[in-house]
Amino acid sequence: MVLLHVLFEHAAGYALFVVKEVEEIGMLLPQVEDCVLNIGKFNGMVSLAAFFPFKSAQAALDNINAISEGVVHADLKLFLETNLPIGGKKKAMLGVGDAKIGGALQEELGLAIQTGGVVAEILRGVRLHFHSLVKGLTAQAASKAQLGLGHSYSRAKVKFNVNRSDNMIIQSIALLDQLDKDINTFSMRVREWYGYHFPELIKIVTDNSTYCKMTQLIGNRKELSEESLESMEEVVMDSAKAQSILEASRSSMGMDISPIDLINIERFSNRVVSLAAYRLELQEYLHSKMGQVAPNLAALIGDVVGARLISHAGSLTNLAKYPASTVQILGAEKALFRALKTRGNTPKYGLIFHSTFIGRAAAKNKGRISRYLANKCTIASRIDAFSDVPTCVFGDKLRDQVEERLSFYETGEAPRKNLDVMKEAVIQATENGEAKKKKKKSVSEAVQMEEEASAAENGDAPAKKKKKRKSEAMEVEPVAEEAPETPQTEKKKKRKKKD
């Protein structure tokens, strides 16, 4: 006869339930589903065999982390070994909700494990009536324990998130792309709006940000004069262009504009200029973050393309796990599946097409260089993801290799072997690491000297000298004078001589 026990993991502790008449219940799954909602009928099916409460919130967090990773915690192992009847005529079978932890228990304790089916329905009922099945546990206490453990588990997951640096890069590149679209849309709106008043300016000034700055500077074109020529040259960075703007304003075909309309145009153009300035700051921030998180990938393929690869993969670790063939067509999934469906030519490149290498290659060599570049991107991402000390030496060497491969396609000059290049990179990386250590040591020594100098200025050094003088005075004490001899001392000397 098989005796089914069901393990239930709660925020308050581990609970082991015995299922009565397991063979009959297994045959009547619809009836079990109906009985789950009724506590009276459910008590007739299930009874509590043992309960192990967690000693503290930290113990509960450690146990739930182990369960989520599919590892058998020491507390769970002890609880099952103590309360589960392993020997005897009746064969014990353990029902668990998660197949991952079930496999770990089967491997650790050698138990017969059952998941799904009746076990899932029984666990649903246990979860619903848990506070009624365990004595001394109220529904409010159970919900508080669940809430506290849920918060601590979430905090721990956020704190130990290995992709937290990658998240900043993903958000930055997404915001950068959105800003590009918004600035372009808003600039076209400024051009159309101000074009009613000064249409000739659109052809003279082509850059969006410069056009918005000129809109702010010019205002009403009728008020433009020779005095504002220098300020226009500063914005446009071209004296001939500034002169042509001045001449065009005198013979413009644009309509007159009211002051209130001009104020609104200037306000809107000011917003566009501030957005363009913020975009430059965001690009600098992305450059610094890529230098910290993925310096080799940034050195090889650039900050923006490298950030797009990380964003598309989800994290740097995911990108490092991808093979080179996946990295090559990353971003061209639609074209790939369309080609497979129609049995056409598959795409040769995805996001890496935006790198300068593919644009410089000849049409017949674009597929070859994209394959080679994807290979080097995979190596760079793996070095960045799994190296302890961030360095861009490997990225620079890989970039040189891609340059050599490009020249090989054009001139036929044989490139260096990958093994030799990587040996050079390893030597250079170790030298750079030693140099950084020496620099840190010298900086710490300089800081220590500055602290000593500041302490001397504040008057700490004279106090030390006083202490030294005191110690010297203690060491060199004056020799005491001999006491004059008394009759008693003379008698003692004579006795010593006789002896």
Side-chain angles (χ1 to χ4, degrees), residues 372 397 400-401 404-405 414-418 420-421 424:
Y372 189 79
K397 294 291 182 183
D400 294 340
Q401 279 190 291
E404 288 174 8
R405 185 54 62 111
R416 291 177 295 170
K417 290 184 178 179
N418 188 50
D420 300 334
V421 176
E424 288 178 14

Side-chain angles (χ1 to χ4, degrees), residues 430-446:
T430 51
E431 288 175 358
N432 290 353
E434 290 173 2
K436 282 181 181 178
K437 285 180 183 177
K438 288 180 181 177
K439 191 176 179 181
K440 282 182 181 178
K441 192 176 180 181
S442 62
V443 167
S444 61
E445 287 175 359

Side-chain angles (χ1 to χ4, degrees), residues 3-6 16-20 45-49:
L3 186 65
L4 179 63
H5 287 74
V6 176
L16 193 67
F17 292 90
V18 179
V19 182
K20 303 168 186 176
M45 292 168 54
V46 175
S47 63
L48 181 68

Side-chain angles (χ1 to χ4, degrees), residues 65-109:
N65 279 328
I67 288 169
S68 66
E69 292 168 7
V71 179
V72 180
H73 196 269
D75 293 344
L76 177 60
K77 186 178 179 182
L78 180 64
F79 172 67
L80 290 175
E81 285 177 347
T82 307
N83 298 294
L84 203 62
I86 296 172
K89 295 180 180 179
K90 295 181 179 180
K91 293 181 180 179
M93 182 179 284
L94 184 65
V96 292
D98 186 17
K100 195 175 180 182
I101 193 70
L105 285 168
Q106 189 174 9
E107 191 176 326
E108 189 83 18
L109 301 173

Side-chain angles (χ1 to χ4, degrees), residues 74-379:
D75 293 344
L76 177 60
K77 186 178 179 182
L78 180 64
F79 172 67
L80 290 175
E81 285 177 347
T82 307
N83 298 294
L84 203 62
I86 296 172
K89 295 180 180 179
K90 295 181 179 180
K91 293 181 180 179
M93 182 179 284
L94 184 65
V96 292
D98 186 17
K100 195 175 180 182
I101 193 70
L105 285 168
Q106 189 174 9
E107 191 176 326
E108 189 83 18
L109 301 173
L111 298 169
I113 304 294
Q114 184 179 347
T115 56
V118 180
V119 174
E121 291 300 323
I122 291 169
L123 284 172
R124 190 162 69 92
V126 169
R127 194 177 295 110
L128 185 64
H129 306 295
F130 185 72
H131 59 277
S132 302
L133 296 169
V134 178
K135 292 181 180 179
L137 185 69
T138 61
Q140 189 177 3
S143 64
K144 277 186 179 179
Q146 286 176 336
L147 187 65
L149 182 60
H151 283 179
S152 58
Y153 181 74
S154 301
R155 272 198 301 272
K157 282 293 179 186
V158 171
K159 186 178 178 181
F160 297 111
N161 184 10
V162 294
N163 305 323
R164 60 183 182 272
S165 297
D166 303 351
N167 291 338
M168 305 304 161
I169 291 173
I170 292 166
Q171 295 298 328
S172 299
I173 193 65
L175 182 56
L176 199 66
D177 292 339
Q178 189 64 44
L179 277 175
D180 285 336
K181 292 177 184 176
D182 291 345
I183 290 168
N184 189 34
T185 307
F186 295 158
S187 301
M188 295 307 295
R189 184 61 55 207
V190 172
R191 283 173 180 272
E192 188 177 345
W193 201 354
Y194 192 68
Y196 294 130
H197 178 61
F198 194 3
E200 290 81 9
L201 186 64
I202 296 171
K203 292 182 180 178
I204 299 169
V205 181
T206 54
D207 184 57
N208 289 334
S209 179
T210 311
Y211 184 89
C212 293
K213 288 177 183 177
M214 288 301 299
T215 304
Q216 285 180 291
L217 181 63
I218 294 168
N220 194 343
R221 60 177 171 77
K222 290 182 179 180
E223 296 175 3
L224 203 60
S225 61
E226 297 282 348
E227 295 175 359
S228 55
L229 201 59
E230 289 184 8
S231 55
M232 283 195 295
E233 283 180 15
E234 290 177 4
V235 175
V236 181
M237 305 296 290
D238 189 0
S239 58
K241 195 175 280 188
Q243 188 64 40
S244 62
I245 290 169
L246 184 62
E247 291 172 0
S249 66
R250 290 169 181 169
S251 60
S252 177
M253 298 292 291
M255 58 180 270
D256 293 336
I257 193 166
S258 63
I260 189 68
D261 295 335
L262 198 59
I263 288 167
N264 281 286
I265 292 170
E266 286 176 357
R267 280 184 181 176
F268 187 53
S269 58
N270 186 28
R271 292 292 177 91
V272 178
V273 169
S274 61
L275 275 176
Y278 173 65
R279 188 204 173 281
L280 294 174
E281 292 174 8
L282 187 66
Q283 196 164 7
E284 288 295 323
Y285 168 72
L286 180 65
H287 176 71
S288 65
K289 289 301 290 183
M290 283 295 290
Q292 294 170 9
V293 177
N296 293 296
L297 188 64
L300 172 62
I301 205 168
D303 300 324
V304 176
V305 182
R308 284 205 176 97
L309 286 174
I310 292 170
S311 176
H312 202 83
S315 68
L316 182 62
T317 309
N318 290 351
L319 183 64
K321 290 176 183 177
Y322 284 162
S325 57
T326 306
V327 174
Q328 183 182 349
I329 58 168
L330 205 65
E333 288 84 3
K334 285 185 180 179
L336 174 67
F337 293 124
R338 186 171 60 247
L340 293 173
K341 189 176 180 181
T342 58
R343 296 184 181 181
N345 295 327
T346 54
K348 296 177 182 177
Y349 29 70
L351 290 169
I352 60 171
F353 176 75
H354 297 288
S355 69
T356 56
F357 298 112
I358 296 174
R360 285 160 53 194
K364 62 179 180 179
N365 296 325
K366 283 187 186 293
R368 297 168 72 186
I369 198 66
S370 66
R371 188 165 58 249
Y372 189 79
L373 181 61
N375 184 16
K376 298 304 174 188
C377 284
T378 307
I379 294 170

